[in-house]
Amino acid sequence: MTFKEQISQGIPDVLPVSKAYDVSRNHAPKRKEILSNEEKKLALRNALRYFNDIHHAKLLPEFAHELEKYGRIYMYRFKPNYKIYARALEEYPGKSLQAKSIMLMIQNNLDDAVAQHPDELITYGGNGAVFQNWAQYLVTMQYLSEMTDKQTLVMYSGHPLGLFPSNKNAPRVVVTNGMVIPNYSKPDDWEKMNALGVSQYGQMTAGSYMYIGPQGIVHGTTITVLNGFRKIKKEPKGNLFVTSGLGGMSGAQPKAGNIAGCVTVCAEVNPKIAQVRLNQGWIDEKITDLDILVERVKLAKSTKETVSIAYIGNIVDVWEKFDTENIYVDLGSDQTSLHNPWAGGYYPVDISFEEANTMMAENPKKFKEKVQETLKRHASAINKHTAKGTYFFDYGNAFLLEASRAGAAIMADNNIDFKYPSYVQDIMGPMCFDYGFGPFRWVCASNKPKDLAKTDKIACKVLEKLKKDAPKEIQQQMADNIQWIKGAQENKLVVGSQARILYADAEGRIEIAKAFNKAIKKEKIGPVILGRDHHDVSGTDSPYRETSNIYDGSKFTADMAIHNVIGDSFRGATWVSIHNGGGVGWGEVINGGFGMLLDGTKAASKRLKSMLFWDVNNGISRRSWARNDEAIFAIKRAMKSEKKLKVTLPNTVDDALIENLKI
């Protein structure tokens, strides 16, 4: 069968040959025992409903074995034999160009070069899934191959509910992930529902088909590192940034350190993923001995070398060793997946990686105790460094939140706030999000590197033009992004699809998208898929990260993310998604995203203006109402440029009036 025929057939009538479990691949860890015997039977019933009953007797023991051995039913037998990667649009079967663009993005998320655990359909973060099992993938791709532009595919946490009649202006796909009743949003609730096959953790851009590999966060991390050094009034050159995690998102850190120009040390406990990052050129060196690491860092600092070093081992050992050896750390952070602390997102110190994985599955209570002990040691070591002058920030992975729950010494004097800021509070919020700048991204659907190079030039030209008349408040943002896009090719950021990211405000996004659409119409480039990280101005309500600089008491509300997706859906998005969880954990955040295909038509031009304007300014409006000065400036500027926009502005109260009130 051809590739198109395999996509179109969905679940095959004849069972494919059972596949051997390849131990050399980077697999998801075994999930903990969470289901009762009756619930296990329910999980098996749920899995078998995808298949004709003539296959049930054959598949039942196989699925039961998977559930017992891995804690989930992945249906390995049904993983396609063809290579999964982002092909050019014309290589996909179908009646709808928009549907083909979604197939491209799904396959990019599951590409071996992109996905963290591709056999388990997990893209990044340890549990950020595109689908729960391979049957869901097969049925979804079949539906997309059949879809017309007058239908919408509805996705329930990886499950394709079905194709429904709609219209050409409606989204082609509407995605939800993990949208459970609030009182059932604890980590164990997720474990149980995921094991039953009824819900999944979509992360931020895994389950919404908009992940573009580590590049997706490299730019934001580069901006964060540069602004971190600006905050402490130091040049990156010759100075040290220490952090941890080399997974799907955290793997961007060493590359960002190189672009910023500092010395980066990033610890990673999983040697397989560290080797992947070395092979991809995202780290320069890997070291397994702490004494050798110390000498290497001393040399790099003394010679003002730009270098990224992966230490294969636990980050706690690094912090403690650097303290005893008096290695001065300028910037410190952490990006292990602490949104998922009990299932592979964070590993205890003084236990091997293999031993920890066994303990995680067989003795989860002890594993949790070891993780919490490690978090306390981790925080204690960081405290010793910050006492010497290190600037430490939480990189939005719930490190401080989980450390506080473990009883670590990371609380401020008021015992309410953390002693260290979220990077959003100190850097990204006031410097980026409040002004409307966030991670705008695009994918060249032709899959041609030359098209990506052309889009880089187009975007750079647009930004340089906009910068000439931009107010002083956003000049640094514009300059940083122009520098970024000029160096994008030489930094070899592409992993998987021919994609790019930069930070832009609504004006920048709209003008870049318009320029792309014109180039497509003139056949200078092929179609382009627009999107963004959910980690943005408007897409995510996350009190410990994206909205941590909201101080009016509303940071625990999620109206913004919900309205963002509703608004995008009727303003022209090709697909929309809304998730519980992502980045900081199940039950801790609601985030939404979109994808949009540009095909050179007038309809695409109309859609991009309407949707992109809303997608950013919804968030700025909320941030303005929270009395954030930068957002008030930005929304006033937006109202001047668009006369149909009229936003409720806050009136500020004299602090003296409030403080002098006797209550």
Side-chain angles (χ1 to χ4, degrees):
M1 295 178 72
T2 65
F3 170 72
K4 287 185 178 181
E5 288 170 340
Q6 290 181 77
I7 291 289
S8 299
Q9 76 167 338
I11 296 175
D13 293 329
V14 178
L15 290 183
V17 177
S18 183
K19 294 177 174 63
Y21 186 86
D22 186 350
V23 296
S24 68
R25 291 169 66 77
N26 191 33
H27 288 284
K30 180 184 177 181
R31 307 307 183 181
K32 70 179 181 181
E33 187 84 14
I34 193 75
L35 301 181
S36 67
N37 286 337
E38 286 303 310
E39 287 168 336
K40 288 177 182 177
K41 292 176 183 178
L42 179 58
L44 290 164
R45 288 180 188 276
N46 289 345
L48 288 170
R49 59 185 161 177
Y50 286 101
F51 306 96
N52 190 303
D53 58 10
I54 63 173
H55 299 309
H56 288 183
K58 176 79 171 177
L59 294 174
L60 179 58
E62 188 175 305
F63 290 171
H65 170 75
E66 288 186 11
L67 185 59
E68 185 67 26
K69 190 169 179 63
Y70 310 116
R72 298 291 187 272
I73 301 171
Y74 296 116
M75 308 180 186
Y76 290 118
R77 176 192 289 266
F78 293 93
K79 182 180 179 182
N81 292 322
Y82 55 75
K83 186 173 173 57
I84 297 178
Y85 66 97
R87 293 161 166 81
L89 275 189
E90 62 269 16
E91 295 185 48
Y92 293 96
K95 306 167 186 175
S96 164
L97 199 63
Q98 292 184 32
K100 291 181 181 183
S101 73
I102 299 167
M103 285 192 269
L104 182 158
M105 294 305 297
I106 287 173
Q107 291 208 315
N108 185 65
N109 272 22
L110 294 172
D111 184 340
D112 279 3
V114 174
Q116 184 181 14
H117 306 304
D119 290 354
E120 290 77 32
L121 303 110
I122 290 171
T123 301
Y124 67 92
N127 60 355
V130 188
F131 301 99
Q132 297 180 64
N133 57 60
W134 286 103
Q136 292 178 345
Y137 166 83
L138 294 174
V139 176
T140 299
M141 297 297 277
Q142 181 184 36
Y143 276 142
L144 290 168
S145 73
E146 298 171 357
M147 174 189 286
T148 71
D149 284 341
K150 294 184 179 180
Q151 289 174 298
T152 293
L153 175 60
V154 177
M155 299 295 299
Y156 276 28
S157 275
H159 168 64
L161 190 70
L163 287 172
F164 290 81
S166 58
N167 62 76
K168 65 180 182 179
N169 295 317
R172 296 283 69 79
V173 178
V174 176
V175 180
T176 56
N177 282 297
M179 298 305 292
V180 303
I181 305 302
N183 281 351
Y184 301 89
S185 213
K186 298 184 294 297
D188 273 358
D189 294 323
W190 171 75
E191 292 281 356
K192 180 168 286 192
M193 284 183 250
N194 195 221
L196 287 170
V198 296
S199 192
Q200 75 172 10
Y201 194 86
Q203 261 291 352
M204 303 193 82
T205 52
S208 60
Y209 325 142
M210 191 40 73
Y211 187 65
I212 59 169
Q215 179 189 175
I217 196 175
V218 168
H219 180 260
T221 307
T222 302
I223 296 296
T224 301
V225 172
L226 284 172
N227 284 323
F229 278 112
R230 287 168 183 156
K231 190 169 184 66
I232 61 175
K233 296 179 172 56
K234 285 187 176 181
E235 290 293 322
K237 212 75 175 167
N239 290 315
L240 178 60
F241 172 44
V242 172
T243 185
S244 60
L246 284 173
M249 298 296 274
S250 55
Q253 295 178 108
K255 173 68 83 171
N258 278 7
I259 295 170
C262 62
V263 179
T264 304
V265 172
C266 189
E268 171 58 56
V269 295
N270 185 344
K272 287 183 181 177
I273 198 64
Q275 187 61 45
V276 168
R277 295 293 172 240
L278 184 65
N279 294 344
Q280 291 174 341
W282 290 72
I283 53 175
D284 298 322
E285 303 171 17
K286 67 175 183 177
I287 292 174
T288 57
D289 183 280
L290 281 171
D291 290 324
I292 294 173
L293 178 66
V294 166
E295 293 309 311
R296 183 69 184 89
V297 169
K298 286 179 178 177
L299 176 64
K301 284 171 69 76
S302 66
T303 58
K304 296 187 181 298
E305 184 181 358
T306 296
V307 64
S308 56
I309 304 163
Y311 170 69
I312 313 305
N314 200 290
I315 182 61
V316 176
D317 290 326
V318 176
W319 282 110
E320 291 177 346
K321 182 72 170 179
F322 282 9
D323 175 47
T324 58
E325 296 291 334
N326 208 27
I327 300 289
Y328 185 78
V329 179
D330 300 275
L331 292 186
S333 191
D334 184 84
Q335 209 178 28
T336 48
S337 297
L338 269 159
H339 69 276
N340 182 32
W342 325 125
Y346 185 89
Y347 281 77
V349 71
D350 297 335
I351 300 174
S352 73
F353 181 60
E354 293 75 16
E355 287 175 308
N357 279 331
T358 300
M359 185 189 297
M360 186 194 311
E362 297 180 0
N363 194 345
K365 183 179 179 182
K366 186 177 180 182
F367 182 81
K368 182 175 180 178
E369 290 172 357
K370 291 292 184 183
V371 164
Q372 292 191 318
E373 288 171 8
T374 300
L375 281 166
K376 286 189 274 192
R377 268 180 65 178
H378 194 162
S380 176
I382 288 167
N383 290 342
K384 291 177 181 177
H385 283 272
T386 57
K388 299 175 185 178
T390 297
Y391 173 64
F392 182 86
F393 56 90
D394 186 332
Y395 207 170
N397 63 336
F399 170 71
L400 293 178
L401 180 63
E402 286 302 333
S404 71
R405 289 169 175 169
I410 48 80
M411 302 306 295
D413 291 340
N414 62 13
N415 209 35
I416 297 172
D417 302 314
F418 300 133
K419 69 165 65 175
Y420 303 117
S422 155
Y423 76 115
V424 173
Q425 286 177 287
D426 259 18
I427 299 171
M428 301 304 283
M431 295 182 182
C432 298
F433 295 162
D434 284 352
Y435 284 118
F437 283 82
F440 181 56
R441 55 178 64 167
W442 65 88
V443 176
C444 294
S446 66
N447 206 31
K448 296 176 181 176
K450 67 178 183 180
D451 274 9
L452 183 60
K454 289 177 183 177
T455 59
D456 285 345
K457 290 179 180 178
I458 291 170
C460 187
K461 186 176 180 180
V462 168
L463 291 179
E464 287 178 329
K465 182 179 178 181
L466 292 175
K467 185 177 182 296
K468 291 178 182 178
D469 298 318
K472 61 179 175 54
E473 288 84 351
I474 61 172
Q475 282 288 328
Q476 184 66 65
Q477 280 283 0
M478 301 294 284
D480 283 348
N481 281 284
I482 290 167
Q483 180 182 348
W484 162 267
I485 203 70
K486 284 182 175 179
Q489 293 285 328
E490 66 186 64
N491 285 317
K492 298 179 181 178
L493 297 163
V494 170
V495 176
S497 59
Q498 294 297 315
R500 186 67 73 227
I501 184 171
L502 57 78
Y503 269 44
D505 60 5
E507 182 183 30
R509 299 182 204 202
I510 290 168
E511 292 304 315
I512 290 170
K514 282 165 60 177
F516 288 168
N517 205 47
K518 288 178 182 176
I520 296 165
K521 182 180 180 180
K522 294 177 181 178
E523 298 184 348
K524 293 181 179 179
I525 57 174
V528 171
I529 301 163
L530 302 181
R532 58 162 169 74
D533 195 345
H534 296 196
H535 170 65
D536 197 11
V537 181
S538 182
T540 294
D541 281 298
S542 180
Y544 297 107
R545 195 164 76 177
E546 284 79 3
T547 44
S548 60
N549 70 318
I550 299 292
Y551 301 109
D552 68 350
S554 71
K555 69 179 181 178
F556 294 101
T557 66
D559 303 78
M560 180 178 73
I562 299 298
H563 273 292
N564 178 260
V565 169
I566 293 171
D568 284 356
S569 68
F570 66 77
R571 286 180 172 87
T574 304
W575 73 96
V576 292
S577 60
I578 187 79
H579 301 183
N580 169 20
V584 296
W586 179 270
E588 302 287 358
V589 53
I590 300 294
N591 64 78
F594 76 87
M596 173 180 276
L597 178 68
L598 300 182
D599 58 6
T601 62
K602 287 184 179 179
S605 178
K606 184 178 179 180
R607 287 195 298 265
L608 73 88
K609 293 175 197 172
S610 175
M611 202 218 72
L612 293 175
F613 186 85
W614 158 259
D615 190 68
V616 175
N617 283 296
N618 166 47
I620 298 177
S621 300
R622 185 267 179 99
R623 294 167 185 278
S624 165
W625 186 241
R627 294 184 291 271
N628 291 13
D629 290 338
E630 296 85 359
I632 293 170
F633 166 84
I635 203 63
K636 285 181 177 179
R637 184 167 174 252
M639 284 191 282
K640 284 183 180 179
S641 70
E642 173 51 76
K643 300 304 179 186
K644 293 178 185 176
L645 177 67
K646 188 173 183 180
V647 172
T648 309
L649 296 174
N651 293 297
T652 57
V653 182
D654 186 339
D655 286 344
L657 281 175
I658 300 294
E659 296 304 322
N660 292 332
L661 180 67
K662 294 181 180 179
I663 298 178

